[in-house]
Amino acid sequence: MEMQQVRYFVTLAQALNFTRAAEHCNVSQPALTRAIQQLEHELGGPLFHRERGNTHLSELGRMMLPYLESIHAQTCAAKEHAKAVKKLERATLTIGTMCTIGPQLIADLIIRFRAAHPEVEVAVIDAGAPEMVDKLEKGDLEIAVVGVPEELPDTLHQLPIFQEDFVILLPPNHRLCAHNPIRAAELHDEPYVSRSNCEVFKPVRADLNSRGIYMRQVFSSPRDDWVQGMIKAGLGLGFFPEFAVTDPDLIVRPLVEPGYSRTIYLASVRGRPHSPAVGAFVQEARRYPWPAQKKAA
């Protein structure tokens, strides 16, 4: 059964006149008649009776009418929705973002995007870096904000949007608050509160250990609010991306000799067609004043 046959049947059921139905469908009457005959063959019986110019639905036609009307209505609705999505009139944009990226930057970008495109609904999914990459490659996400210490897969198109340094987070009464910046060697034997989702700290810890610098992990949580709360309570110091710090009562100090940083990318699958909403979001991300631009200004 073809959608064209369904449209012709519904139109003819309303007009009960082959000539007027053909005109309404913008086809010739023979073409409409052939389509109805093909549909009757598929459904196993006549759908209309034609008696001395009087066209009316058969019993089978009356039974099929509500089903085919429903199919026709849903098809029309689907076409209208597709047109609206193409025009960004009714669209949903799902953005993936790593849970280790500070929410304020992404929130500001989304606010700007929504101001420019108020008809687009935005949803955010947060997860670790491996999950984000997996969702992108499987097609569960069209676009994601990611940053990992290793190279991203070649299958992903990567637009670098900003770079951030990692900083040391301290409670206000910590002895290292007097040091600005903090040298990595000064971290040796310090109690450390771990962000268990931090994708950077594993290679950083290996580098610190190779330099003879060892910290004592005393607490671990995947939630940055818990980690910052424990630092604030005096349990130990923390290692944070500079734009992920949300508690204003904590002391932030740069880390040097060595320092560590990461690049954050807007990633999508290379060569895969994307929705107009994704294209609009990428354009907005290109215009957004990311931290490096703010610093340069």
Side-chain angles (χ1 to χ4, degrees):
M1 184 185 304
E2 299 178 358
M3 291 299 102
Q4 188 180 62
Q5 294 172 332
V6 173
R7 182 167 70 93
Y8 291 172
F9 169 81
V10 172
T11 303
L12 183 55
Q14 294 169 348
L16 294 178
N17 182 287
F18 277 80
T19 302
R20 288 199 299 271
E23 291 174 353
H24 185 81
C25 294
N26 199 27
V27 296
S28 66
Q29 182 175 330
L32 184 136
T33 300
R34 284 194 299 272
I36 294 297
Q37 288 172 343
Q38 290 170 357
L39 184 59
E40 289 176 329
H41 177 73
E42 291 181 27
L43 295 177
L47 298 170
F48 296 91
H49 292 312
R50 299 175 68 179
E51 300 170 353
R52 298 178 183 177
N54 178 25
T55 301
H56 58 275
L57 284 164
S58 68
E59 182 64 26
L60 178 61
R62 286 192 294 272
M63 292 174 59
M64 291 296 102
L65 181 59
Y67 297 103
L68 298 185
E69 281 181 330
S70 176
I71 292 172
H72 179 60
Q74 291 180 32
T75 301
C76 291
K79 289 180 179 178
E80 289 303 314
H81 186 74
K83 290 178 183 178
V85 169
K86 188 174 182 180
K87 295 177 183 178
L88 289 182
E89 292 174 356
R90 288 193 302 271
T92 299
L93 173 64
T94 302
I95 304 165
T97 180
M98 285 176 17
C99 55
T100 60
I101 294 176
Q104 190 56 49
L105 289 173
I106 307 304
D108 288 346
L109 173 59
I110 290 173
I111 289 170
R112 283 173 171 256
F113 175 77
R114 286 274 301 131
H117 305 282
E119 65 285 346
V120 179
E121 178 186 346
V122 178
V124 172
I125 295 176
D126 73 318
E131 291 85 355
M132 284 292 108
V133 173
D134 185 60
K135 286 179 180 294
L136 282 168
E137 292 182 333
K138 288 181 177 178
D140 296 335
L141 284 174
E142 285 190 285
I143 196 160
V145 182
V146 296
V148 292
E150 67 274 8
E151 293 291 327
L152 288 167
D154 291 337
T155 54
L156 298 183
H157 178 268
Q158 305 154 36
L159 172 67
I161 50 177
F162 69 92
Q163 187 172 27
E164 65 179 335
D165 295 330
F166 281 84
V167 296
I168 299 302
L169 217 53
L170 303 164
N173 59 350
H174 198 283
R175 67 175 187 85
L176 289 178
C177 290
H179 299 206
N180 191 10
I182 294 174
R183 293 183 297 109
E186 296 174 300
L187 301 178
H188 181 66
D189 206 33
E190 284 289 334
Y192 167 65
V193 180
S194 171
R195 302 165 64 239
S196 59
N197 279 331
C198 181
E199 65 286 335
V200 170
F201 189 67
K202 185 175 180 180
V204 167
R205 180 169 52 194
D207 183 60
L208 292 175
N209 292 168
S210 71
R211 300 169 186 268
I213 303 167
Y214 294 85
M215 292 187 290
R216 295 182 286 112
Q217 182 171 312
V218 294
F219 179 84
S220 176
S221 173
R223 290 179 47 174
D224 281 3
D225 56 345
W226 271 88
V227 173
Q228 291 183 69
M230 290 300 175
I231 295 171
K232 187 174 180 177
L235 194 59
L237 59 80
F239 178 81
F240 264 71
E242 60 180 316
F243 302 117
V245 181
T246 57
D247 191 329
D249 294 332
L250 293 173
I251 306 302
V252 179
R253 291 289 182 261
L255 177 64
V256 296
E257 299 179 15
Y260 303 93
S261 64
R262 67 176 178 179
T263 301
I264 303 300
Y265 298 90
L266 200 58
S268 58
V269 175
R270 194 182 301 276
R272 181 180 293 170
H274 297 299
S275 68
V278 170
F281 185 77
V282 172
Q283 290 177 4
E284 195 63 44
R286 289 180 182 275
R287 292 191 292 263
Y288 183 75
W290 294 104
Q293 300 170 24
K294 293 176 182 175
K295 288 179 181 178

